[in-house]
Amino acid sequence: MGSVIEVGFQLDWEHPVFVGDGDLLDTAILGPRAGLKYLQAGLPIRTGQTYWNAVQACSSALLGKGDLDHARVCFIAAYAECMFKIEEH
């Protein structure tokens, strides 16, 4: 018989991360669940080690196997790197 995997869908970061297009940061990412969803569907560039570190960190936090604050830092790093790559072009 299989085991049940607990997932913390309601986990929120102490402070949301605001993302958006250009200078308009109008979308609040409240925690690792929203962060993972944004990483997978909201970022225009989904490659690189920083991106995959953020995906892993958010997934681990949701499963209770990773630190919530670490997931937030990794998410911010992936978002910032993506925005930097966009501005380079």
Side-chain angles (χ1 to χ4, degrees):
M1 180 172 242
S3 61
V4 175
I5 299 173
E6 296 285 330
V7 179
F9 287 125
Q10 299 303 319
L11 292 173
D12 285 340
W13 293 319
E14 187 174 340
H15 303 286
V17 177
F18 288 91
V19 298
D21 292 326
D23 292 335
L24 182 60
L25 303 178
D26 61 347
T27 302
I29 305 298
L30 302 176
R33 180 179 185 205
L36 188 58
K37 184 177 178 181
Y38 188 83
L39 288 167
Q40 294 173 334
L43 283 183
I45 301 171
R46 295 184 286 278
T47 61
Q49 191 61 50
T50 306
Y51 170 81
W52 290 110
N53 288 346
V55 169
Q56 177 62 37
C58 287
S59 297
S60 292
L62 287 173
L63 295 172
K65 297 180 179 183
D67 183 71
L68 200 55
D69 291 329
H70 177 70
R72 183 177 184 275
V73 168
C74 290
F75 175 82
I76 292 169
Y79 177 76
E81 183 176 274
C82 179
M83 295 303 107
F84 179 76
K85 287 178 180 178
I86 289 170
E87 287 187 16
E88 278 188 323
H89 292 105

